[in-house]
Amino acid sequence: MTFLVGKLRNRSSLGAMVAMLLSSSAYAQVVPVPQPTAETGADDAIVVTGTRIRRPDLASNSPITSVTDQEIKYQGAVNVENVLNRLPQFTADANENVSNGSDGTANINLRNLGSNRTLILLNGQRLMPQQAIDLNFVPSALIDRVDVVTGGASAVYGSDAVAGVVNFVLKDHLDGLRIDVQSGLGLHTNDNSGVRNVLTTRGYANAPGRVADGGKQDLNAAYGKNFANGRGNITVYGGYRHTDPVLQANRDVSACALNPSDAAGNGFICGGSSNTPIGTFVPLGGPNSGRTLTNNANGTPTWVPYTSAYAYNYAPTNYFQRSDERITGGAFAKFEIAPIAEVYGSFMYMKDHTFSQVAPSALFLGTTFTVPCNNPLMSASQQQSLCGAAAGTNATQDTLIGYRLGSGQSRRDDLRHQDYRYSAGVRGDLGHGFRYDVNYLHSLVRYNETYLNNVDNVKAQRALDVVNVGGVPTCRSVIDGSDPACVPINVFQANAITDAQGAYLFSESNTASRNVLDVMSANVNGDLGTFGISSPWAKRGVNIALGGEHRRETLNFTADAIAQQGGTTNSDGRITVNEGYGEIEIPILQDLPFAHELTLNGGLRYSAYRNSQQSTGLKSQYNVWTYKGEASWAPVKDARFRFSYNRAIRAPNIGELFGSRSIGNVSAQDPCSGTSPTASLDICRLTGVTQAQYGNIVECPSDTCSAQYGGNSALKPEKADTYTLGMVLTPRMVRNFTLSVDYYHIKVKDYISSVDPSLAISQCVAASDPFYCGLFTRDPRSGALFGSNGYIVSTTYNTGSLKTSGIDLTADYTLGIGALGKLNLNMVGTRLISQVSEPLKGLGSYDCKGLFGYTCGQPNPKWRHVMRTTWQMPQGASVSVSWRHIDQVKLSSLSDNTFLAGTPSVINRKISAYNYIDLAGTVAVGEGLQLRAGVNNLFDKDPPAIASGILSSFGNGNTYPGVYDVLGRTLFVGATVNF
């Protein structure tokens, strides 16, 4: 069994309850020498993630945490992002439990600096185009280990390695057949009495008492064969994964959209959307201009004032876990022609098909519709309420309409990915301790999206433009022949739109993208000691690595006419970069008193970027230097101290440079909306509200306003300075014990982002800041902050700075227990010291350490750890228990910092500390079969219930998927067969 290698790095260490992490392959065991990677050569030289220097027994100067394949089995994980999200260094990002707005990908967020600031490698090479990363591509059953390096590494790998590097090392050299199967599901008891009472009070259905759902099946096979007396190997693999969907109706926490029960947030009520099956109207003229009205719920064609009692529960049919089907396959091959030339290559393929599902579509408030004042489907009183004196005439009146279609017609987003990755190269021994490697890598990501069961607003407008023809309501477009298929819709009575009317309204929209990465690289590295170049006080010589790289990324995004109706536009772009780099490692002292070893390391890289967009002719360019300096000092064999400094960069990706501007949803509420706005008239005027509109602006439905997103070709690279300082203790007096402690400090300047809409709202209200208030663009007719004409501007540009610091701690101890076998105790923990954002340079900052919600987003606990204890029995069986701890966090809006000012809450003032216990076991049957089974979240702990308006990115179902276990208890069984 392999153990988890490495060094804890993310916000780490609080002095700790040292260890108890059950593990037979420990979760993050620290070892004095890293395990060999896939790049280990015949000379037993090692290339450790984070450097290009090759040399026997190379220890990393940067903190490294490694997760082994055995840990993945103990977790029963078939999604690699879920494995990494358990580590305290990571904050959840795109994952299978996010539905609305998902693009179907999976990603990871190291140090909570954003997924785009983490470089993803596969066997030491870039995985795929940075703007199209998808961890679903990685075949989890082939993973040997995952190395996580903290701190910048741009001098070694180039752009994007700001927070650090995650390197997936695969088993790509097999000799024999290996088959792995696993199946699992969720078994949860819904007994959250507080939420169930809220549902009952509102008259909504509660989740079933007990559920068994969310099944996952994973089947993988790999076959490898050595040939030519071991000089060659071919390994092929294939895999299939299936995931069943879970509806939000099946969990207490997500069965309705939770809203605060009052202004102070003393409790919950089931809120919902003002886009209802009853029908909501906000006339933009006439006698009821600006008033929010609704059809009478009893079915009569009359309008009454709208109240929250009419709100629609949009939650039940939303997916809490997306359905998914993935097929993977590929091959690895290598053949040594001679020591000077080994040819090698690989081909990898993935086809992934997933659906997200949300509530049925609607004529959504935010779109202005024009209704004839003589529409025969309106009653006389409705015509009068809408048009006044013009009622019954050919005149028209503009109005906002929120009318939800039937519950059997949920919107579904059909998300399809086909990814290809292949590489070919030659490497070999040049003699005198030098080796070379020349490689070409090509990665292609094809993405297709089809949005189903969505109302086409063009058709909706035609279906509202209805006149009386011989007593029959008829679309005007049928009369003039512009749309003979038009079917009139009756939005003037509750639940009156029929299936036939709905079928006419639906038009599927399609978008597609093609992302390509091409990399040509060459490097040489070796030991100058063979030429006598070494320190007079060291036995080993100076080592160097030199190389160059040409990289090109392209994107072509297209949208059909229906998608373009909603504001989506075509986009394209290309980034070309030429780079040269060098790295040197100098052993200064060896085997001297108080200097068992003293080593210095330095690296330098020059990058020249050229960016262009063919469709517009836009171009930009810049040149960047990155560099690093590292030191390692072992006064004795038992202790080693290490330090590293890195200047890293992140160049803007194609989407950030050339992405088309479009409107999207954001969790927020307009402070100037409703009959009693929370913001004053003076403040609202700064956002574009007129005195006539004040108190008459419709609220953002479902606490969901709009924001404008898009690119900026004038962007420049982010610059980051990262520091790490740590020690590794391996005392000989305590056998099989390792302790590592590392401090990290990362600061990103001129970071590429946009002003978070929640921040723009809070700063405009709290400080009357003209910059933030100027980001409001209001619908010129209604003043609303949603729909295609009302939004917060949130496009990209170089903003202020990000800073995070903390301490990582990893402890591992294995002791013999006689005839009973061995016991391994292991812990990985992170103490967060700071998580600071400065949205704009010189305009103030805020620290999200220990906070969650609104601007701070997902929880930022001060302390997290994973502790595993494993009993390894002599008979080939093991039992392993894991304890996951997430410290308590407080609501950000209760902070004294004005940047975080916002809506208070009593019930959500904090999320208490969470503790999960996981249990797993393995047993060997003969020499070729290993069985495993496990239970995650053994005690079926519910996730925290959070008011929907508090959630931000990657929140779903009134909670934070990926941070907390949203499905409750999950079980799995699996087997691995080797022949």
Side-chain angles (χ1 to χ4, degrees), residues 678-691:
T678 58
S680 68
L681 174 59
D682 289 340
I683 289 174
C684 291
R685 278 175 170 156
L686 294 175
T687 74
V689 174
T690 66
Q691 185 166 359

Side-chain angles (χ1 to χ4, degrees), residues 66-406:
S66 292
V67 180
T68 63
D69 61 335
Q70 186 64 32
E71 174 61 28
I72 295 173
K73 290 180 179 178
Y74 279 141
Q75 293 185 25
V78 297
N79 303 75
V80 295
E81 72 276 11
N82 293 341
V83 177
L84 294 175
N85 283 338
R86 287 194 179 186
L87 286 173
Q89 296 97 320
F90 290 88
T91 299
D93 204 86
N95 62 78
E96 64 184 346
N97 298 114
V98 176
S99 184
N100 196 4
S102 172
D103 63 0
T105 62
N107 221 318
I108 49 176
N109 179 0
L110 180 61
R111 305 298 182 191
N112 203 11
L113 290 174
S115 60
N116 52 2
R117 294 179 185 90
T118 302
L119 181 62
I120 309 298
L121 305 177
L122 186 76
N123 286 344
Q125 294 181 303
R126 288 177 178 261
L127 178 65
M128 51 183 53
Q130 185 66 13
Q131 73 271 6
I133 292 292
D134 184 3
L135 296 189
N136 287 307
F137 184 79
V138 180
S140 57
L142 277 186
I143 293 175
D144 182 54
R145 73 175 193 279
V146 186
D147 290 342
V148 182
V149 179
T150 288
S154 292
V156 177
Y157 298 112
S159 176
D160 308 316
V162 172
V165 177
V166 175
N167 184 21
F168 293 92
V169 181
L170 302 185
K171 300 181 180 80
D172 58 1
H173 186 131
L174 299 180
D175 191 15
L177 175 65
R178 173 187 170 134
I179 300 174
D180 187 270
V181 295
Q182 182 172 296
S183 182
L185 80 165
L187 289 176
H188 178 63
T189 300
N190 286 302
D191 55 4
N192 188 324
S193 59
V195 175
R196 294 178 80 83
N197 288 338
V198 169
L199 284 155
T200 300
T201 300
R202 188 63 174 83
Y204 292 158
N206 272 294
R210 288 192 175 94
V211 289
D213 56 11
K216 294 183 179 181
Q217 297 81 42
D218 195 41
L219 171 63
N220 297 273
Y223 176 76
K225 180 65 177 176
N226 291 325
F227 60 92
N229 296 320
R231 290 189 297 126
N233 177 270
I234 295 177
T235 296
V236 297
Y237 73 92
Y240 173 78
R241 183 186 73 191
H242 175 83
T243 302
D244 292 331
V246 176
L247 295 175
Q248 288 186 191
N250 285 354
R251 295 296 185 277
D252 284 336
V253 71
S254 56
C256 78
L258 295 176
N259 284 354
S261 59
D262 53 35
N266 284 298
F268 289 131
I269 60 171
C270 281
S273 172
S274 51
N275 299 295
T276 75
I278 297 172
T280 308
F281 299 82
V282 183
L284 301 179
N288 288 290
S289 178
R291 295 185 62 193
T292 304
L293 306 172
T294 183
N295 289 321
N296 198 314
N298 64 15
T300 60
T302 56
W303 285 347
V304 297
Y306 175 86
T307 69
S308 60
Y310 292 94
Y312 169 75
N313 183 16
Y314 58 85
T317 61
N318 290 10
Y319 276 170
F320 215 16
Q321 175 174 284
R322 297 193 317 272
S323 65
D324 182 69
E325 191 167 54
R326 184 192 71 169
I327 297 171
T328 58
F332 306 93
K334 60 183 179 181
F335 180 70
E336 183 184 278
I337 301 171
I340 198 173
E342 180 186 60
V343 293
Y344 65 96
S346 66
F347 172 79
M348 302 178 71
Y349 169 76
M350 180 198 77
K351 181 178 181 180
D352 187 78
H353 190 189
T354 183
F355 281 93
S356 70
Q357 179 172 294
V358 293
S361 189
L363 283 71
F364 286 106
L365 290 166
T367 300
T368 300
F369 293 101
T370 301
V371 179
C373 293
N374 61 354
N375 185 313
L377 295 173
M378 279 198 294
S379 67
S381 66
Q382 288 172 324
Q383 292 177 355
Q384 178 66 35
S385 296
L386 180 65
C387 300
T393 71
N394 290 330
T396 61
Q397 183 59 266
D398 289 346
T399 181
L400 304 179
I401 300 177
Y403 199 105
R404 185 84 57 169
L405 276 66

